[in-house]
């Protein structure tokens, strides 16, 4: 990980008053060729040729209290989580008008001049704020995108609405209210999914719902501009999410790929569906029984893409450890990961490591290391 990275571009990007250079979608989509720092290894960027046949889980019966439908939904989710950690849900009770309204407000922020966006730039060690191609953290394999992330916690304080109004400007008060409501809906759905995950694992149905009720999660909007050489770059590189559960709404442009059976598969957008994937925290809570989903975001040359992502994370000081019955069910009947907190894992991914498919294994080694300052990763990605 480089500090003050030097990015090689075909033409100079915008420069702020202090001389720092920043890149946003407006700049990227004007590039006729992919700059060197945005090029990814061929094995990472190779186009997916097949579509993933992942289950689309209808939640109507679950919400209506239908026992048989709930068991069937839990079985579908279990089969996916044992294999790749990915599925989609319909009849999720998130208002379609709210989703559309959230998209309507995506461009309100991203269309701001770069000088305005960087006023809320992500700070070192923090997952919150604006990021243009992650230039603040990395110098190679840069993602072809810009993102805006903010915190959410359920409760009487409207922290999302207040963040937009007081941190950006009063002009964004309505945008903040929209994302407050959207985040509340995502939090509620996440807790419902947690019940189904628990049922599938054979533990107390309320175990994970109660664990995540006071979650401090991350809401993110993504903008992937067009790219004239899409086979050379990626909107997001191959990785497993470090959090517990991710809920994605992707527009109909498409671009999400999931790695299954040693090859990349496209995920066709399903109208009205939400995409769910398991992250590293939940993989640890299940003692490795459920898999963290390896995925990426491709780019294209014809239409920019937007997405809304909700990352459910435990409260920072909550201890992540599997239920004892899951340890007994695991291969060898032993613990796969040590007790840790979300703040431990967040420190690792924000300050010491770029997330990929072996984040959890390398975090475990780092966490147990007697000399963390000299830690060297020993787990590396498999060939894609």
């Amino acid at each position: 990980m480089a500090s003050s990275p030097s990015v090689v571009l075909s033409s100079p990007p915008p420069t702020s008053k202090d001389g720092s250079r920043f890149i946003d979608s407006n700049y990227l989509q004007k590039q006729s060729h992919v700059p060197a720092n945005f090029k990814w290894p061929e094995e990472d960027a190779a186009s997916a040729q097949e579509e993933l046949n992942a289950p689309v889980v209808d939640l109507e019966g679950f919400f209506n209290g239908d026992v048989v439908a709930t068991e069937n939904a839990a079985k579908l989710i279990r089969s996916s989580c044992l294999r790749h950690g990915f599925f989609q849900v319909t009849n999720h009770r998130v208002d379609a008008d709210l989703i559309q309204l959230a998209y309507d407000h995506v461009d309100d922020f991203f269309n701001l001049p770069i000088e305005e966006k960087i006023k809320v730039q992500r700070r070192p060690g923090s997952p919150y704020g604006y990021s243009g191609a992650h230039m603040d953290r990395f110098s190679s394999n840069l993602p072809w995108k810009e993102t805006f992330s903010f915190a959410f916690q359920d409760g009487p304080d409207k922290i999302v609405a207040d963040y937009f109004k007081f941190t950006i400007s009063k002009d964004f008060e309505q945008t903040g209210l929209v994302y407050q409501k959207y985040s509340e809906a995502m939090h509620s759905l996440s807790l419902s999914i947690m019940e189904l995950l628990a049922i599938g694992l054979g533990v107390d149905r309320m175990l994970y719902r109660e664990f995540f009720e006071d979650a401090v999660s991350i809401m993110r909007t993504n903008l992937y501009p067009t790219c004239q050489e899409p086979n050379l770059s990626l909107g997001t590189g191959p990785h497993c999410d470090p959090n517990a559960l991710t809920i994605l709404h992707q527009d109909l442009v498409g671009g999400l790929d999931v790695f299954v059976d040693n090859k990349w598969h496209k995920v066709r957008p399903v109208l009205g569906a939400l995409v769910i994937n398991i992250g590293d925290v939940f993989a640890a809570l299940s003692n490795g029984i459920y898999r963290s989903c390896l995925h990426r975001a491709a780019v294209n040359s014809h239409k920019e893409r937007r997405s809304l992502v909700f990352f459910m994370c435990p409260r920072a000081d909550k201890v992540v450890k599997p239920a004892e019955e899951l340890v007994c069910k695991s291969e060898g009947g032993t613990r796969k990961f040590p007790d840790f907190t979300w703040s431990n894992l967040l420190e690792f991914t924000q300050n010491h490591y770029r997330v990929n498919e072996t984040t959890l294994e390398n975090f475990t080694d780092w966490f147990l290391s007697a000399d963390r300052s000299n830690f060297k990763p020993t787990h590396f990605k498999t060939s894609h």
Side-chain angles (χ1 to χ4, degrees):
M1 187 181 303
S3 59
S4 302
S6 175
V7 180
V8 181
L9 298 156
S10 57
S11 60
T15 303
S16 65
K17 292 180 181 179
D18 66 0
S20 301
R21 288 183 170 180
F22 299 94
I23 289 177
D24 65 359
S25 294
N26 183 55
Y27 180 80
L28 285 174
Q29 64 188 1
K30 294 178 181 177
Q31 304 301 305
S32 57
H33 299 287
V34 173
N37 299 66
F38 285 84
K39 291 182 178 180
W40 285 74
E42 184 177 351
E43 64 270 21
D44 288 334
S47 298
Q49 301 301 316
E50 301 178 24
E51 288 190 5
L52 180 64
N53 184 25
V56 178
V57 183
D58 188 339
L59 298 181
E60 187 67 26
F62 166 80
F63 285 121
N64 289 336
D66 186 317
V67 175
V68 174
T70 296
E71 288 292 339
N72 288 337
K75 288 178 181 177
L76 275 176
I77 291 173
R78 175 181 172 82
S79 66
S80 293
C81 293
L82 289 172
R83 187 180 177 206
H84 47 62
F86 174 90
F87 55 97
Q88 301 196 57
V89 296
T90 57
N91 290 317
H92 40 65
R93 298 197 173 179
V94 179
D95 191 338
D97 291 339
L98 176 59
I99 295 174
Q100 184 56 56
L101 197 56
Y103 273 109
D104 291 343
H105 283 269
V106 165
D107 289 337
D108 287 353
F109 178 80
F110 287 130
N111 283 341
L112 287 173
I114 186 67
E115 295 79 11
E116 293 299 314
K117 288 185 282 194
I118 62 176
K119 289 180 180 179
V120 289
Q121 184 181 15
R122 189 169 63 184
R123 302 301 180 193
S126 171
Y128 309 123
Y130 170 74
S131 176
H134 294 343
M135 282 183 61
D136 54 314
R137 294 191 64 194
F138 310 117
S139 60
S140 63
N141 294 343
L142 296 177
W144 198 268
K145 67 175 178 180
E146 56 181 331
T147 69
F148 185 47
S149 309
F150 40 93
F152 170 79
Q153 185 173 28
D154 194 37
D157 296 330
K158 305 300 183 183
I159 64 172
V160 175
D162 289 346
Y163 177 79
F164 274 82
K165 181 179 179 180
F166 298 113
T167 303
I168 303 178
S169 77
K170 290 184 179 179
D171 294 338
F172 282 83
E173 182 175 5
Q174 187 59 39
T175 301
L177 291 171
V178 168
Y179 285 122
Q180 178 74 42
K181 291 180 180 178
Y182 188 85
S183 299
E184 289 169 355
M186 291 297 104
H187 177 76
S188 178
L189 177 59
S190 296
L191 295 180
S192 296
I193 298 295
M194 287 297 170
E195 289 188 45
L196 290 166
L197 291 169
I199 293 170
L201 283 168
V203 297
D204 184 274
R205 175 171 174 159
M206 303 303 289
L207 178 65
Y208 302 127
R209 169 180 275 275
E210 293 173 353
F211 184 82
F212 287 100
E213 278 182 338
D214 57 356
V216 181
S217 298
I218 303 167
M219 179 67 209
R220 175 175 298 167
T221 60
N222 293 317
L223 178 58
Y224 302 93
T226 54
C227 176
Q228 297 307 307
E229 296 177 315
N231 291 332
L232 298 180
S233 191
L234 287 168
T236 304
H239 70 288
C240 296
D241 293 338
N243 55 291
L245 185 78
T246 301
I247 303 181
L248 165 76
H249 189 282
Q250 58 173 341
D251 62 18
L252 297 179
V253 176
L256 176 64
D257 297 335
V258 173
F259 195 71
V260 184
D261 296 334
N262 296 314
K263 55 187 173 183
W264 289 106
H265 293 73
K266 300 176 184 178
V267 176
R268 179 190 293 272
V270 175
L271 186 64
L274 289 167
V275 173
I276 314 290
N277 70 261
I278 297 299
D280 287 337
V281 165
F282 200 88
L285 283 172
S286 72
N287 202 40
I289 295 175
Y290 280 2
R291 300 188 62 175
S292 188
C293 176
L294 177 59
H295 58 288
R296 68 180 186 182
V299 290
N300 69 78
S301 60
H302 59 275
K303 191 171 184 178
E304 63 185 7
R305 173 177 177 254
R306 295 163 177 78
S307 65
L308 306 168
V309 196
F310 184 81
F311 301 100
M312 172 163 264
C313 314
R315 199 183 66 211
D317 60 349
K318 280 281 186 74
V319 177
V320 176
K321 60 183 298 185
E324 193 58 40
E325 55 261 50
L326 295 182
V327 176
C328 297
K329 292 179 182 178
S330 302
E331 184 178 349
T334 58
R335 288 282 301 274
K336 300 295 189 294
F337 310 102
D339 290 359
F340 63 90
T341 64
W342 171 239
S343 62
N344 297 141
L345 182 54
L346 193 62
E347 178 191 353
F348 181 66
T349 59
Q350 292 298 311
N351 298 313
H352 305 287
Y353 193 79
R354 185 172 186 172
V355 295
N356 60 12
E357 66 188 84
T358 58
T359 300
L360 192 53
E361 290 79 8
N362 282 307
F363 164 72
T364 298
D365 290 348
W366 171 83
F367 187 67
L368 297 176
S369 173
D371 185 8
R372 294 180 181 175
S373 61
N374 292 315
F375 170 76
K376 301 294 183 184
T378 57
H379 300 274
F380 302 98
K381 69 180 184 180
T382 57
S383 175
H384 297 155

